[in-house]
Amino acid sequence: MPDDPRTLVSTDWLAAHLKDPDLRVLDASWYLPDAGRHPRTEYDAAHIPGARFFDIDEISDARSDLPHMAPSAEKFMSRMRKMGVGDGHQIVVYDGAGLMSAARVWWLFRLMGHRDIAVLDGGFPKWQSEDRPIEDMPPVVKDRHLTVRFQNQLVRDVTQVSQASKLGSTQIVDARAAARFRGEAPEPREGLRAGHIPGARSVPFTTLLNNDKTMKSPDAARTVFQNAGVDPNKPIITTCGSGITAAVLALALERIGNDSWSLYDGSWAEWGMFPTVPVATGDA
């Protein structure tokens, strides 16, 4: 597939551009608590040369009880300035799972109005498997201003999702594993009901990836959505456990050419906690 600096680039592309003065590489690794992995420790031990560590849990809304909700524009600007990421930069973001949490940071930058950002296809595992350079030293950082133009249409809250569920006005697509969607597997976070948002369809984010954790072609991704009963050309709200893998669906939709998607930031961490919203179980 051709490289697209606004959605997805290959390891070949990154290797060719790694020394570009206006390139910024971000390690956005993040894992569920039960994974037993520590992204910052792994970053300190080895990362792509020049990469900065993007802490998804810290660069979030600290006022919310929900995990890693999108930060305010002011906080995002402040953190990016300290990381030396700003206007005029081409950003490439990757993660240690292959392609998972990097898409969340891609969405965050899009939410803040920055479009020159791409996810590294296959992530750090693919980079390492190809014996490409790594380092364990932090980069030298110079402050850089980032202009933010918040894009409200890219995010949805529980009220908007509830309305979409009741009216069937917008497709809701869930990126969690199928067993969690059906309510057959427990949620990794305590205190949440099992099941899915009524009317939602199940497209586990892993079904959009190849065996090497690269993303399937747009045509193949389109087929995945269609097989799940989703029209990939119509408006879609993506959701998951806590707003991480929902962004993988958003990235796939963007590559298909769908620009009418949005992400439910609270996702099941919010919906599954509220006793006043309905929960469905079983298949869609």
Side-chain angles (χ1 to χ4, degrees):
M1 292 304 300
D3 294 298
D4 178 5
R6 290 191 167 188
T7 54
L8 197 70
V9 295
S10 64
T11 50
D12 284 341
W13 186 97
L14 180 57
H17 292 271
L18 195 56
K19 294 185 179 180
D20 288 2
D22 286 328
L23 180 77
R24 294 293 180 269
V25 181
L26 304 179
D27 182 329
S29 299
W30 177 92
Y31 307 102
L32 284 167
D34 59 3
R37 296 183 65 176
H38 304 283
R40 181 65 199 230
T41 302
E42 292 183 15
Y43 165 83
D44 289 339
H47 52 262
I48 293 175
R52 285 102 161 119
F53 182 72
F54 190 107
D55 189 334
I56 287 175
D57 286 327
E58 197 284 321
I59 305 174
S60 66
D61 183 1
R63 301 166 298 179
S64 175
D65 293 332
L66 297 170
H68 44 252
M69 293 287 282
S72 66
E74 292 77 17
K75 182 172 182 177
F76 191 80
M77 289 170 62
S78 172
R79 296 299 188 270
M80 291 310 100
R81 174 185 288 274
K82 291 180 180 178
M83 290 171 64
V85 177
D87 296 341
H89 284 152
Q90 169 65 50
I91 302 165
V92 175
V93 57
Y94 71 88
D95 64 56
L99 204 166
M100 188 182 74
S101 55
R104 168 73 183 190
V105 174
W106 172 83
W107 171 77
L108 269 178
F109 274 90
R110 291 292 302 273
L111 183 66
M112 300 296 171
H114 191 97
R115 297 181 66 88
D116 294 325
I117 179 168
V119 172
L120 180 64
D121 203 15
F124 198 47
K126 189 169 190 293
W127 182 270
Q128 286 183 299
S129 73
E130 297 165 348
D131 292 325
R132 299 189 186 273
I134 59 174
E135 65 181 17
D136 58 4
M137 296 293 292
V140 177
V141 174
K142 295 181 180 179
D143 281 8
R144 181 80 165 244
H145 174 72
L146 178 73
T147 302
V148 168
R149 300 179 180 89
F150 198 84
Q151 306 295 305
N152 290 296
Q153 76 278 8
L154 296 184
V155 65
R156 292 291 180 264
D157 62 24
V158 65
T159 301
Q160 293 167 315
V161 177
S162 178
Q163 183 180 38
S165 173
K166 289 177 183 176
L167 301 179
S169 54
T170 304
Q171 300 172 101
I172 301 170
V173 187
D174 194 321
R176 293 175 300 156
R180 288 172 64 189
F181 178 88
R182 293 191 297 265
E184 297 169 356
E187 286 296 307
R189 293 178 177 84
E190 293 183 4
L192 300 182
R193 296 173 293 170
H196 60 265
I197 299 168
R201 297 286 181 169
S202 175
V203 179
F205 83 97
T206 52
T207 61
L208 294 167
L209 305 179
N210 299 308
N211 290 336
D212 63 353
K213 309 302 181 184
T214 56
M215 182 165 275
K216 290 181 177 178
S217 70
D219 286 345
R222 182 183 297 275
T223 299
V224 170
F225 283 110
Q226 290 171 337
N227 288 345
V230 177
D231 187 335
N233 298 315
K234 292 184 177 180
I236 291 172
I237 298 171
T238 67
T239 183
C240 61
S242 63
I244 297 286
T245 58
V248 178
L249 271 58
L251 179 63
L253 290 167
E254 184 76 14
R255 295 185 76 232
I256 287 171
N258 184 328
D259 59 0
S260 298
W261 57 265
S262 55
L263 184 148
Y264 174 23
D265 199 13
S267 283
W268 199 252
E270 181 175 44
W271 192 279
M273 176 182 65
F274 269 115
T276 56
V277 293
V279 168
T281 55
D283 291 320

